[in-house]
Amino acid sequence: MRCISFKLLSIVLLLASCTSTGSQVWKVKDVVSARYNFALADTFLELDNSLQEISGLEYDVKGRRLLAINDEKGIIYEIDRQSGKADELYEFHKSGDYEGLARSGKFVFVLKSNGKLYRYNTDKDKTKVYDTGLSAINDAEGLYYEHSSNSLLIACKGLPLSENRHEKAVYRFYLDTRQLDAEPVILINVERLKQKAENELNAEQLWRLNRFAPSGVAIHPETGQIFLLSARGSMLMVFDAKHSLEYLVFLDMQKLPQPEGIAFDEDLNLYIASEGKAGKGKLMKFTPN
């Protein structure tokens, strides 16, 4: 009985420690430096009730506006970057579990957790549905449009195609052929990474790292770095242009309890959006150093 009580107490203390505030950066490569001060956001907003469960975030360069979806309604919103107010822009489909958002010209792409891809034509107010080759077991969440390859990066919260439970993957879906490349753009073995970090991270950080599961993805417009969010454990991994991990950010769990949306604007400002859980959705803006 004493043994059980001790274990329960240990779990309670560990979970309590995971409510710490502030952001910390773990440099996997000593020579790199973070381009953003994650401990000091330029803007912190609470969003409208319609975006309490915000899931996807995108910056529309042409319209100079921030777009978002929640994971229940087939509606694309515009977020006022000063107030956090949300206006309905497009209704692309009926309700569903929508997770990722990306835009290319007149087309807005929305990703469903079961791997279905919705292409909404803003000129014709019509939606087409594509099969990416991913399924519910992969739990597709993050979406980003890469202009140079006319493709979409899809980050999977669930199992990769290899079904290795220790790995998390980002895949590329080519829009020209409507085919998924089965070779991951990024493949993270969380167990190996945790072993590498054992002598550098504390117990709370290791506990959070063990929960890493991609929820959002974006490419830095200037450097080509890939920014990969995890709602679980509130983290951000940053990879260089050759897809090698540079550093890991443990975000402020009080302000970003469940980050699922990430985007850059034309001034290289970084936006991260989080579900509100018990409260309102959150949006943080980080200006470059």
Side-chain angles (χ1 to χ4, degrees), residues 253-269:
M253 295 183 73
Q254 296 294 321
K255 293 183 177 178
L256 295 169
Q258 192 171 325
E260 297 197 8
I262 182 168
F264 294 94
D265 67 17
E266 71 274 15
D267 295 320
L268 305 182
N269 296 310

Side-chain angles (χ1 to χ4, degrees), residues 110-123:
V110 179
L111 181 68
K112 205 171 185 179
S113 60
N114 63 4
K116 296 293 183 184
L117 182 67
Y118 296 78
R119 191 195 73 175
Y120 176 71
N121 187 322
T122 59
D123 288 348

Side-chain angles (χ1 to χ4, degrees), residues 220-246:
H220 192 282
E222 187 177 86
T223 66
Q225 293 168 300
I226 296 179
F227 284 58
L228 191 61
L229 270 182
S230 174
R232 293 178 183 171
S234 190
M235 288 170 286
L236 174 66
M237 285 188 182
V238 180
F239 300 79
D240 65 23
K242 294 182 179 180
H243 308 161
S244 177
L245 181 60
E246 290 189 328

Side-chain angles (χ1 to χ4, degrees), residues 71 82 85 116 122 211 233 276 281:
D71 65 4
Q82 302 300 319
K85 184 179 181 296
K116 296 293 183 184
T122 59
R211 303 182 70 217

Side-chain angles (χ1 to χ4, degrees), residues 87-105:
D87 291 322
E88 295 185 10
L89 278 184
Y90 312 112
E91 185 172 358
F92 67 91
H93 208 257
K94 60 184 179 181
S95 298
D97 187 13
Y98 303 112
E99 300 293 348
L101 179 66
R103 180 161 193 164
S104 172

Side-chain angles (χ1 to χ4, degrees), residues 46 49 52-53 254 257-258 274-282:
E46 289 192 331
N49 291 333
Q52 180 179 358
E53 297 191 30
Q254 296 294 321
Q258 192 171 325
S274 171
E275 283 196 15
K277 288 194 173 182
K280 292 186 176 182
K282 310 291 193 297

